[in-house]
């Protein structure tokens, strides 16, 4: 017996993953023996700091930690989250009512939206952006209105234009700064405008702060919750994947507006029993311990950024240095732009032996860009530049 899942409503609203085409070609070339340098998926290659791993191992040896945990996160971890926010941002978080642990930020955001959105509700999300931001709303049955984002645009102006043209009134705004994939960063004044906008239009706000620590050149990413009145309208999510190189551990958290946090907490109580307890215990050590390990990780990404950007500019691909994230967002050179991002990404695999992410995968407004992930060492990045120079020397 077979089923056509494309007939199910949610599946019909989820298009085939754009990245799959590029990934398939990458794997085909690797199976044929080609050495493809993968700067596509943002999968951190740096190991988790040893003191965090040691705590995981220690906790895993204790049998009492093998039982079901707590879906909202163990008490000591929620207190560690609260203390982390107080130290970093001078923001008070009630660990019992305003914090919930998630299985990575992606799970937390998608289930939070599912708990907040009714079928037909309108959600504002940037375009291009990280796919789960708009698709969390689509999975929940909502309607997404895309707000263009990128160099040369004023996001707040575009928000104001969109609100005038949207009915019913949008219920939710999803944002993330430093932004993936565009690498755009904002200041605290931007968040003040967001809070005012949300209050004026009675909207909730979700801010994804996954790249809080991955910032360069003396830039410091503000927290949305530092803004007066932010807790009245929204929440913030943080992932330990990037700052502590714990991507595969799947641990993050959501903090802020009590009603929104409790909505997620309630839904999760039906869906999961929480993260494996030794991981939560190790996460406490990460948040409470010496943060030099975070600085060391950021230094590696900054060095890789500089090598990549300097190399791209040398071969005639003008690209600015981003102040945040582990990515580089680069406009496709003019002579290749007519290809679009998917075909250009395939061209780089074929001719440069370099895999990147096509901008179209982040939304239609990203089709004139590609995204590099800084997930290879500097030697491999230099090799990638040599391959790109070779590809650019060919006639197309």
């Amino acid at each position: 017996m077979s089923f056509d899942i494309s007939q199910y409503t949610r599946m019909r609203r989820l298009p085939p993953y754009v990245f799959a085409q590029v990934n398939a070609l990458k794997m085909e070339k690797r199976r044929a023996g080609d050495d493809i340098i993968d700067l596509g998926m943002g999968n951190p290659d740096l190991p988790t700091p040893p003191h965090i791993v040691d705590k995981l191992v220690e906790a895993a040896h204790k049998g009492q930690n093998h039982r079901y945990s707590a879906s909202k996160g163990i008490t000591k971890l929620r207190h560690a989250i609260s203390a982390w926010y107080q130290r970093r941002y001078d923001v008070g978080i009630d660990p019992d009512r305003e914090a919930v642990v998630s299985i990575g930020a992606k799970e937390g955001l998608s289930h939070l939206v599912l708990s907040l959105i009714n079928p037909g509700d309108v959600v504002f999300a940037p375009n291009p952006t990280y796919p789960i931001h708009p698709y969390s709303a689509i999975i929940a049955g909502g309607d997404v209105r895309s707000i263009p984002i990128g160099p040369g645009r004023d996001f707040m102006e575009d928000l104001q234009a969109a609100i005038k043209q949207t009915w019913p009134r949008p219920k939710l705004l999803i944002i993330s700064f430093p932004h993936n994939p565009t690498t755009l960063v904002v200041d605290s004044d931007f968040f003040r405008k967001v809070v005012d906008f949300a209050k004026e239009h009675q909207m909730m706000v979700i801010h994804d702060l996954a790249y809080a620590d991955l910032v360069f050149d003396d830039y410091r990413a503000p927290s949305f919750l530092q803004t007066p009145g932010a807790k009245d309208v929204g929440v913030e999510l943080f992932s330990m994947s990037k700052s502590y190189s714990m991507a595969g551990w799947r641990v993050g958290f959501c903090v802020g507006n009590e009603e929104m946090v409790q909505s997620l907490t309630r839904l999760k109580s039906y869906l999961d029993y929480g993260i494996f307890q030794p991981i939560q215990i190790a996460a406490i050590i990460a948040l409470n311990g010496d943060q030099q390990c975070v600085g060391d990780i950021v230094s590696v990404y900054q060095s890789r950024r500089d090598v990549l950007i300097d190399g791209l500019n040398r071969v005639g691909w003008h690209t600015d240095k981003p102040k945040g994230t582990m990515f580089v967002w680069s406009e496709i050179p003019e002579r290749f732009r007519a290809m679009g991002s998917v075909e250009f990404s395939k061209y780089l695999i074929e001719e440069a032996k370099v895999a990147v992410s096509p901008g179209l995968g982040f939304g239609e407004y990203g089709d004139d860009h590609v995204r590099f992930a800084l997930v290879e060492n500097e030697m491999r990045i230099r090799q990638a530049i040599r391959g790109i120079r070779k590809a650019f020397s060919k006639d197309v």
Side-chain angles (χ1 to χ4, degrees):
M1 186 174 182
S2 63
F3 300 94
D4 180 6
I5 64 169
S6 67
Q7 297 306 306
Y8 300 122
T9 301
R10 284 188 176 84
M11 292 301 99
R12 285 202 304 270
R13 298 191 70 197
L14 293 176
Y17 220 39
V18 170
F19 305 115
Q21 298 179 47
V22 176
N23 288 337
L25 179 59
K26 176 184 69 180
M27 296 311 298
E28 176 188 323
K29 292 296 181 182
R30 282 182 166 172
R31 283 192 292 268
D34 286 349
D35 178 19
I36 304 297
I37 301 170
D38 192 355
L39 302 176
M41 183 179 177
N43 191 3
D45 64 314
L46 302 174
T48 307
H51 70 287
I52 302 173
V53 177
D54 291 344
K55 192 63 180 181
L56 169 73
V57 172
E58 176 191 318
H61 278 296
K62 297 179 179 179
Q64 68 265 33
N65 290 329
H66 299 174
R67 305 173 68 184
Y68 289 131
S69 188
S71 63
K72 68 177 182 178
I74 59 176
T75 300
K76 287 186 177 180
L77 178 52
R78 286 183 282 108
H79 278 265
I81 291 164
S82 177
W84 185 85
Y85 256 89
Q86 190 68 56
R87 287 193 308 272
R88 285 181 62 111
Y89 302 118
D90 196 25
V91 172
I93 298 293
D94 182 335
D96 295 318
R97 303 295 302 171
E98 297 178 339
V100 57
V101 177
S102 59
I103 307 172
K106 192 173 183 180
E107 178 272 327
L109 188 145
S110 55
H111 281 144
L112 174 60
V113 173
L114 184 63
S115 75
L116 299 174
I117 292 300
N118 297 319
D121 282 344
V122 176
V123 174
F124 280 177
N127 184 334
T129 199
Y130 186 50
I132 197 58
H133 293 164
Y135 283 104
S136 61
I138 289 171
I139 291 168
D143 293 325
V144 176
R145 174 70 191 272
S146 293
I147 312 298
I149 188 171
R153 298 202 71 104
D154 185 315
F155 188 74
M156 291 307 303
E157 282 188 8
D158 287 329
L159 263 184
Q160 294 288 357
I163 199 81
K164 294 173 184 176
Q165 303 169 21
T166 303
W167 186 261
R169 185 184 65 214
K171 188 174 183 179
L172 175 65
L173 169 65
I174 301 175
I175 51 176
S176 178
F177 294 99
H179 184 250
N180 174 19
T182 69
T183 74
L184 290 177
V185 297
V186 297
D187 57 19
S188 55
D189 186 58
F190 173 86
F191 285 137
R192 281 193 288 272
K193 293 175 183 177
V194 169
V195 169
D196 290 344
F197 179 86
K199 288 187 173 184
E200 179 183 355
H201 299 289
Q202 298 180 300
M203 294 174 65
M204 294 177 287
V205 178
I206 297 174
H207 180 237
D208 182 354
L209 189 58
Y211 299 95
D213 293 298
L214 268 61
V215 291
F216 317 117
D217 305 332
D218 297 322
Y219 172 74
R220 293 292 176 264
S223 164
F224 171 70
L225 295 180
Q226 287 175 292
T227 310
K231 272 194 199 178
D232 297 335
V233 296
V235 295
E236 191 160 70
L237 289 109
F238 179 77
S239 165
M240 303 192 66
S241 296
K242 312 306 188 301
S243 300
Y244 301 93
S245 208
M246 294 170 66
W249 298 51
R250 308 313 303 133
V251 55
F253 48 83
C254 175
V255 296
N257 180 271
E258 180 177 332
E259 286 77 17
M260 294 173 71
V261 168
Q262 289 306 308
S263 181
L264 174 57
T265 302
R266 184 174 180 182
L267 182 63
K268 283 176 62 64
S269 71
Y270 286 91
L271 295 174
D272 68 73
Y273 286 108
I275 304 163
F276 184 42
Q277 195 147 295
I279 291 177
Q280 297 192 58
I281 293 169
I284 295 169
I285 296 302
L287 292 172
N288 286 344
D290 186 349
Q291 300 298 294
Q292 181 58 46
C293 62
V294 178
D296 293 342
I297 289 169
V298 173
S299 293
V300 171
Y301 284 122
Q302 180 161 339
S303 294
R304 291 177 178 182
R305 178 204 67 166
D306 292 345
V307 170
L308 177 61
I309 297 290
D310 291 346
L312 290 175
N313 285 313
R314 273 200 314 275
V315 301
W317 190 348
H318 176 72
T319 306
D320 294 325
K321 288 185 177 179
K323 290 186 178 294
T325 78
M326 56 185 287
F327 305 112
V328 168
W329 182 243
S330 193
E331 187 172 22
I332 299 171
E334 188 172 353
R335 62 186 282 233
F336 300 100
R337 206 164 297 161
M339 288 183 174
S341 61
V342 175
E343 291 306 313
F344 179 64
S345 296
K346 291 179 180 178
Y347 178 78
L348 289 181
I349 291 176
E350 293 274 8
E351 302 297 339
K353 311 302 180 189
V354 175
V356 298
S357 292
L360 183 63
F362 304 97
E364 65 270 26
Y365 294 139
D367 199 25
D368 55 357
H369 283 69
V370 294
R371 190 196 72 178
F372 294 85
L374 301 171
V375 293
E376 291 272 13
N377 63 42
E378 293 179 24
M379 182 182 73
R380 295 280 283 170
I381 291 172
R382 290 189 177 94
Q383 182 181 337
I385 295 297
R386 291 194 293 271
I388 291 170
R389 177 188 284 117
K390 180 181 177 183
F392 282 10
S393 69
K394 294 179 179 289
D395 293 328
V396 292

